[in-house]
């Protein structure tokens, strides 16, 4: 059963598993499970991800957003593009041009990216200038200047004077003053408030685009032609006021997104020339040493050199409690030092920090068109011409079918045109989606597009990885059971020697356990180190060959005696992961590791159950260990001993049963399952660039409760989208009926259209205040 919304492409990701003999690196393959780890080499627990060389995993194209093959790219800042109406006008002009491949719009940032095969891209700027869009070409990597205020002071003054003039025109008309006086006051109101609207209406007409500005211009010109000067002035004034309020509301959503980029300071204290100097963040190189005092923000991603310190990481991870940082811990740009002074080594320059990647991902995400937005745009494309035709029929056939003067029916047709404008319908979806994305980012949940934000509500089952997701991902050595010839300390030294170059958490924990027991001891050098894919590692030390592997390896070697089998089963029933150290004569010792359940995991499962979402654990650990952890977490369905291909098959089965399925993993090792799931969710993505790139949704910290938060936010977004569509169409239907019954005026028509627009915008902005 395929998922029509996901079109995976294959992108090669190198997974190093067999390191050079002189410096063996890689994961720890004798453990089936994995943990969230930035190093791609951590994925060496399974057969199909442990073969030497390149491994190809599917990555969702919706997340990748790759440029079309063979196309150049040019980016424009469009100062006069602030709503979907302008987007449609630009599409109608540029898409038919020969050589234009694709247009990507970012309405919030007012940017347009054109993928093209043109010899001279200046024709694009000319076309945009002819549309009066005020384009500015942006060079590669160039940041656009800050956007101007949505409603500047001079515009507010103009609107105030225009409102007075329109009101004067209405009073004069009501008192039956001479027509020239009414026309003079009305003309002043139109000149002060209607210039941009009338100009955009004329441009739309020249480009054969039926949009809100064309319909409003038609209504105003028509009202003037039939002598309704006062109504024409009030219509254009009210429309301008509504446009200004709408622009201010959109600016609020824009600032919610841009505030993420403003979290990092402009300067940092860097050690240069024997002293601390304040340096712009853009001028700081990777590897430099910086200092941050209490109350200051971290300017760049870094690793702690001197601490300790307590940091508020809420801007990145959404975690409200301060996090203690010790030497070697990661620091994220935008975090705040709550207590202490920290010195750290910069690990990423300003443009490549975690904060910069988050801001860039959200900018790209809100530029993508959500399913509801695509539906609304398609609906409006056919709806608007249909209404124009209907209004024309009313003007022409009204006198013949129902009697009355021709001017009366022309007036009713104009009322219908204003009422039927699709502005409220079109503007409702992008504002709602952007608000949802910004709210999620504040909670430490990065959603890679409106399509994933909408799909979250459909999830009926969630498959969760164990290590690093439900458990802490920090295994500790619990048992060293010797079987023959070697004591526990010697057996542990040999095992640690085999694992000393591995970066996998299991290997690090084993080596750390040996160092705690023998701080001054030395590990033995290893020759001919090799990885036994999905089973263990081997190497030569102390003049003989050694293997360190899991239960499966022992069985394949035919060395699993009843006594050894019983010991392994006992450890596994206790929820421990056991592996065996073997020399040339057989099993020497059993070592066991245990990982503890996160404090939040049980709450996370309870939250999913409350949403009627089934939780399933998929893990490479043995079934007994998996069931032990699952019982603690409250999960009823557990599937252990799973390789990546098995997890992919499990997701396929869950999709067939439940329809929409979420997969929660680390974004690297579970890539096939994450790509196949309806929504792939990466845990602990703040420390892993790969997770930010591969997942549909990235939870910046390690809190599994945010999976349910994401689903709840998706459900809330869906409700608001439906409310907005119902509001927009319902209000129009009511006033359209009034117009057909001769009970509506142009005033009412403007209130119906602009009132609906403001209602849906304000309703969409409510998502910014939605609590976790």
């Amino acid at each position: 059963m395929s998922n029509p919304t996901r079109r995976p492409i294959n992108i090669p990701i190198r997974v190093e598993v067999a390191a050079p003999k002189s410096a063996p690196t890689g994961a720890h393959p004798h453990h089936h499970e994995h943990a969230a780890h930035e190093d791609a080499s951590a994925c060496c627990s399974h057969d199909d991800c442990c073969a030497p060389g390149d491994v190809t995993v599917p990555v969702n194209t919706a997340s990748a957003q790759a440029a079309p093959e063979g196309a150049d790219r040019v980016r424009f800042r469009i100062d006069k593009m602030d709503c979907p109406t302008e987007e449609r006008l630009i599409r109608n002009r540029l898409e038919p041009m020969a050589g234009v491949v694709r247009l990507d719009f970012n309405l919030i940032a007012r940017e347009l990216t054109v993928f093209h095969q043109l010899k001279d891209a200046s024709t694009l700027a000319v076309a945009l200038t002819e549309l009066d869009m005020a384009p500015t070409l942006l060079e590669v990597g160039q940041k656009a200047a800050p956007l101007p205020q949505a409603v500047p002071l001079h515009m507010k003054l103009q609107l105030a004077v225009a409102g007075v003039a329109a009101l004067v025109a209405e009073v004069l008309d009501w008192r039956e003053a001479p027509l020239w006086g009414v026309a003079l006051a009305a003309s002043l109101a139109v000149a002060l408030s209607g210039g941009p609207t009338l100009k955009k209406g004329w441009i739309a007409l020249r480009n054969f685009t039926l949009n809100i500005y064309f319909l409003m211009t038609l209504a105003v010109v028509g009202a003037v032609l039939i002598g309704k000067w006062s109504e024409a002035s009030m219509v254009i004034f009210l429309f301008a006021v509504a446009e200004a309020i709408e622009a201010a509301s959109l600016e609020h959503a824009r600032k919610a997104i841009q505030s993420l980029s403003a979290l990092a300071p402009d300067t940092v204290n860097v050690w240069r020339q024997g002293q601390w100097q304040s340096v712009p963040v853009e001028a700081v190189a990777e590897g430099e040493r910086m200092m941050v005092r209490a109350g200051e923000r971290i300017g760049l991603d870094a690793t702690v050199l001197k601490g300790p310190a307590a940091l508020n990481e809420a801007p990145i991870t959404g975690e409200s409690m301060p996090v203690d940082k010790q030497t070697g811990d990661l620091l994220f740009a935008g975090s705040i030092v709550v207590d202490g002074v920290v010195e750290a080594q910069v690990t990423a320059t300003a443009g490549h920090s975690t904060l910069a990647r988050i801001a860039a991902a959200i900018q790209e995400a809100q530029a993508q068109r959500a399913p509801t937005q695509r539906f609304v745009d398609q609906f409006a494309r056919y709806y608007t011409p249909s209404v124009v035709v209907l209004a024309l029929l009313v003007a022409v056939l009204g006198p013949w079918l129902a009697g009355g003067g021709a001017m009366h029916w022309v007036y009713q047709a104009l009322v219908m045109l204003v009422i039927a404008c699709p502005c409220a319908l079109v503007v409702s979806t992008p504002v709602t989606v952007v608000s949802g994305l910004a709210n999620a980012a504040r909670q430490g949940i990065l959603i890679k597009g409106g399509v994933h934000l909408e799909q979250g509500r459909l999830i009926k089952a969630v498959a969760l990885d164990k290590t690093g997701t439900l458990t802490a991902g920090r295994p500790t050595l619990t048992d060293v059971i010797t079987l023959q010839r070697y004591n526990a300390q010697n057996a542990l030294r040999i095992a640690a020697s085999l694992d000393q170059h591995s970066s996998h958490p299991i290997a690090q924990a084993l080596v750390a356990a040996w160092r705690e027991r023998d701080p001054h001891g030395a590990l033995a050098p290893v020759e001919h180190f090799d990885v036994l894919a999905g089973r263990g590692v081997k190497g030569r030390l102390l003049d003989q060959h050694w293997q360190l592997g899991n239960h499966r390896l022992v069985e394949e070697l035919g060395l699993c005696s009843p006594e050894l089998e019983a010991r392994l089963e006992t450890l596994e029933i206790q929820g421990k992961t056991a592996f065996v150290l073997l020399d040339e004569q057989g099993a020497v010792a059993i070592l066991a590791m245990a990982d503890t359940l996160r404090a939040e995991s049980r709450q996370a499962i309870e939250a999913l159950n409350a949403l009627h979402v089934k939780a399933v654990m998929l893990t490479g650990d043995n079934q007994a260990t998996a069931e032990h952890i699952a019982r603690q977490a409250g999960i009823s369905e557990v599937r252990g001993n799973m390789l990546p291909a098995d997890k992919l098959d499990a997701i396929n089965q869950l999709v067939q049963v439940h329809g929409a399925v979420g997969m929660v993993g680390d974004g690297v090792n579970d890539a096939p399952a994450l790509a196949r799931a309806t929504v792939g969710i990466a845990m602990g993505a703040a420390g892993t660039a790969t997770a930010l790139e591969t997942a549909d949704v990235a939870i910046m910290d390690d809190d599994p409760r945010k999976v349910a938060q994401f689903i709840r936010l998706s459900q809330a977004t869906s409700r608001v989208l439906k409310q907005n569509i119902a509001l927009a169409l319902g209000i129009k239907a009511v006033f359209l009926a009034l117009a057909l019954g001769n009970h509506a005026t142009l005033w009412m028509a403007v209130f119906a259209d602009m009132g609906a627009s403001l209602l849906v915008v304000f309703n969409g902005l409510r998502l910014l205040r939605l609590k976790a």
Side-chain angles (χ1 to χ4, degrees):
M1 182 177 185
S2 62
N3 185 347
T5 64
R6 301 173 64 79
R7 300 176 181 174
I9 60 175
N10 289 328
I11 298 177
I13 298 177
R14 177 166 293 278
V15 181
E16 300 290 349
V17 294
K21 298 174 184 178
S22 59
T25 61
H28 199 278
H30 51 263
H31 185 48
H32 279 199
E33 191 51 88
H34 57 263
H37 198 282
E38 182 171 1
D39 189 348
S41 64
C43 179
C44 292
S45 307
H46 314 289
D47 287 336
D48 47 350
C49 72
C50 285
D54 289 343
V55 174
T56 300
V57 296
V59 177
N60 188 359
T61 54
S63 299
Q65 284 295 297
E69 186 177 353
D72 294 324
R73 178 170 63 179
V74 62
R75 188 165 61 105
F76 293 97
R77 159 77 167 272
I78 313 292
D79 282 335
K80 295 187 179 182
M81 179 183 70
D82 57 5
C83 88
T85 303
E86 281 92 358
E87 176 186 334
R88 174 51 52 193
L89 181 64
I90 294 172
R91 282 189 183 277
N92 289 350
R93 178 61 184 272
L94 297 188
E95 283 183 339
M97 291 176 60
V100 173
V101 178
R102 192 179 82 197
L103 305 177
D104 285 354
F105 289 87
N106 186 334
L107 293 178
I108 297 300
R110 297 188 187 180
E111 291 185 8
L112 165 65
T113 302
V114 183
F115 296 93
H116 66 91
Q117 296 174 336
L118 300 168
K119 292 182 178 179
D120 184 6
S122 62
T123 56
L124 298 171
V126 171
L128 291 170
T129 302
E130 290 175 354
L131 294 178
D132 192 37
M133 288 291 129
T136 302
L137 180 64
L138 298 177
E139 301 296 335
V140 177
Q142 177 185 353
K143 290 184 179 180
L147 288 168
Q149 187 178 357
V151 188
L153 179 61
H154 74 274
M155 184 180 294
K156 294 176 183 177
L157 293 176
Q158 282 184 222
L159 285 177
V161 176
V164 172
L167 185 60
V168 169
E170 283 289 343
V171 171
L172 292 175
D173 192 22
W174 177 65
R175 300 190 63 175
E176 299 182 353
L179 182 60
W180 66 266
V182 178
L184 182 62
S187 298
L188 178 61
V190 171
L192 290 174
S193 62
T197 299
L198 297 176
K199 185 176 182 179
K200 290 179 180 179
W202 170 243
I203 292 173
L205 177 62
R206 286 190 318 175
N207 289 274
F208 306 103
T209 300
L210 300 180
N211 60 24
I212 177 68
Y213 301 110
F214 168 75
L215 297 181
M216 198 60 63
T217 300
L218 188 60
V220 171
V221 173
V224 169
L225 291 178
I226 62 176
K228 300 287 186 178
W229 282 92
S230 60
E231 291 205 47
S233 65
M234 189 58 72
V235 163
I236 201 70
F237 165 70
L238 291 175
F239 181 78
V241 170
E243 285 275 281
I245 296 174
E246 186 178 297
S249 301
L250 290 173
E251 184 178 47
H252 184 60
R254 179 184 302 120
K255 287 180 177 178
I257 294 291
Q258 292 176 337
S259 63
L260 293 170
S261 303
L263 289 173
D266 296 327
T267 61
V268 293
N269 289 320
V270 178
W271 183 259
R272 288 183 179 178
Q273 299 175 347
Q275 61 181 339
W276 294 107
Q277 301 180 15
S278 180
V279 179
V281 291
E282 294 82 4
V284 179
E286 185 176 336
E288 289 200 82
R289 183 179 175 187
M290 69 176 183
M291 177 179 65
V292 188
R293 302 178 181 88
E296 297 178 345
R297 287 187 182 271
I298 304 294
L300 297 158
D301 285 2
T303 303
V304 177
L305 295 175
K306 288 184 180 180
L311 270 74
N312 176 7
E313 294 185 339
I316 306 299
T317 66
E319 171 59 55
S320 58
M321 297 298 293
V323 179
D324 292 329
K325 296 290 184 177
Q326 306 291 337
T327 302
D329 289 345
L330 294 175
L331 301 179
F332 302 121
S335 303
I336 305 169
V337 178
V338 178
D339 182 38
V341 178
V342 63
E343 293 184 22
Q345 185 176 38
V346 175
T347 58
T349 54
H352 298 87
S353 68
T354 299
L355 182 64
R357 296 200 306 269
I358 293 172
I362 294 180
Q363 289 284 2
E364 293 175 5
Q366 64 86 27
Q368 297 177 28
R369 297 156 71 82
T372 302
Q373 185 176 355
R374 291 196 296 268
F375 162 76
V376 166
D377 289 347
Q378 289 296 323
F379 176 81
R381 180 176 296 183
Y382 298 102
Y383 165 81
T384 306
S386 301
V387 170
V388 173
V389 172
L390 178 61
L392 183 62
L393 291 176
V394 167
V396 174
L397 301 181
W400 180 62
L401 294 176
M407 291 298 100
H408 167 77
W409 287 104
V410 169
Y411 180 81
Q412 293 303 321
L414 295 176
V415 171
M416 287 182 60
L417 285 178
V418 176
I419 290 175
C421 284
C423 188
L425 192 64
V426 172
V427 79
S428 64
T429 48
V431 172
T432 302
V433 169
V434 167
S435 298
L437 294 173
N439 182 290
R442 289 176 180 175
Q443 298 183 36
I445 305 171
L446 179 61
I447 304 174
K448 305 286 283 296
V451 61
H452 310 305
L453 178 60
E454 288 197 41
Q455 283 180 328
R457 69 180 178 86
L458 304 174
I459 292 176
K460 300 301 180 187
V462 172
L464 300 107
D465 180 31
K466 180 180 75 68
T467 305
T469 300
L470 294 172
T471 63
R474 293 186 295 273
T476 56
L477 183 68
T478 58
D479 300 88
V480 180
I481 304 171
T482 57
L483 302 176
Q484 57 180 337
R485 299 190 302 280
Y486 286 85
N487 61 34
Q489 184 67 8
N490 285 335
L492 180 58
R493 177 174 179 260
I494 294 169
S497 298
L498 285 169
D499 272 343
Q500 62 184 308
H501 297 291
S502 176
S503 60
H504 193 281
I506 287 283
Q508 292 176 352
L510 192 148
V511 174
W514 176 80
R515 293 196 185 281
E516 287 180 4
R517 287 166 171 76
D518 190 359
H520 305 293
L523 292 173
V526 179
E527 298 177 343
H528 307 298
F529 176 85
D530 198 7
V531 171
L532 305 172
R535 290 153 183 80
V537 295
K538 67 178 182 178
R540 181 175 178 82
L541 66 156
L542 303 180
D543 295 325
Q544 62 176 314
H545 293 285
W546 293 86
Q547 296 183 81
L548 183 63
N550 54 28
H551 199 160
R552 180 185 299 178
L553 173 66
V554 179
E555 289 178 341
E556 290 181 357
L557 295 174
L559 300 174
C560 201
S561 65
E563 178 188 2
L564 182 59
E565 183 78 28
R567 287 177 180 269
L568 291 174
E569 288 182 358
T570 299
L571 292 169
E572 290 168 357
I573 291 172
Q574 295 172 358
K576 300 174 181 178
T577 299
F579 39 94
V580 182
L581 178 66
L582 306 105
D583 66 4
E584 296 170 347
Q585 301 177 40
V588 171
I590 301 173
L591 298 91
M593 309 289 290
D595 193 6
T596 57
L597 189 74
R598 291 186 186 279
E600 308 88 0
S601 292
R602 188 166 186 87
Q603 297 175 19
I605 302 305
E606 290 173 351
L608 290 173
N609 291 337
L611 293 170
H612 304 291
V613 175
K614 183 179 181 61
V616 180
M617 180 192 290
L618 304 181
T619 176
D621 261 349
N622 62 76
Q623 189 70 21
T625 300
E627 289 179 353
H628 179 78
I629 295 294
R631 281 193 297 270
Q632 297 179 51
I635 299 176
S636 58
E637 184 174 342
V638 185
R639 306 187 189 186
N641 296 310
M642 305 200 81
L643 300 175
D646 300 324
K647 291 186 178 183
L648 180 59
D649 292 340
I651 294 296
N652 283 323
Q653 294 170 14
L654 290 171
V655 168
Q656 291 176 0
V657 174
H658 300 283
V661 175
M663 172 65 195
V664 186
D666 66 6
V668 182
N669 300 327
D670 293 318
L674 285 167
R676 176 63 186 93
T678 310
V679 180
I681 304 173
M683 291 288 293
T688 59
T690 310
L692 281 174
E693 295 166 0
T694 59
D696 302 324
V697 176
I699 294 176
M700 304 312 294
D701 59 2
D702 294 316
D703 191 344
R705 293 174 297 182
K706 291 183 179 178
V707 177
Q709 288 182 28
F710 159 67
I711 296 176
R712 280 195 294 268
L713 179 61
S714 176
Q715 292 174 346
T717 302
S718 176
R719 286 195 299 271
V720 172
L721 286 170
K722 291 175 181 177
Q723 291 167 3
N724 284 346
I725 292 174
L727 274 172
L729 294 180
I731 291 174
K732 291 183 181 301
V734 169
F735 280 87
L736 197 58
L738 290 173
L740 291 174
N742 298 330
H743 298 297
T745 65
L746 279 175
W747 273 57
M748 295 172 61
V750 172
F751 278 120
D753 181 67
M754 291 296 99
S757 296
L758 296 179
L759 278 175
V760 298
V761 167
F762 292 143
N763 193 38
L765 290 175
R766 285 194 306 117
L767 287 175
L768 288 173
R769 301 189 298 274
L770 187 69
K771 301 292 184 181

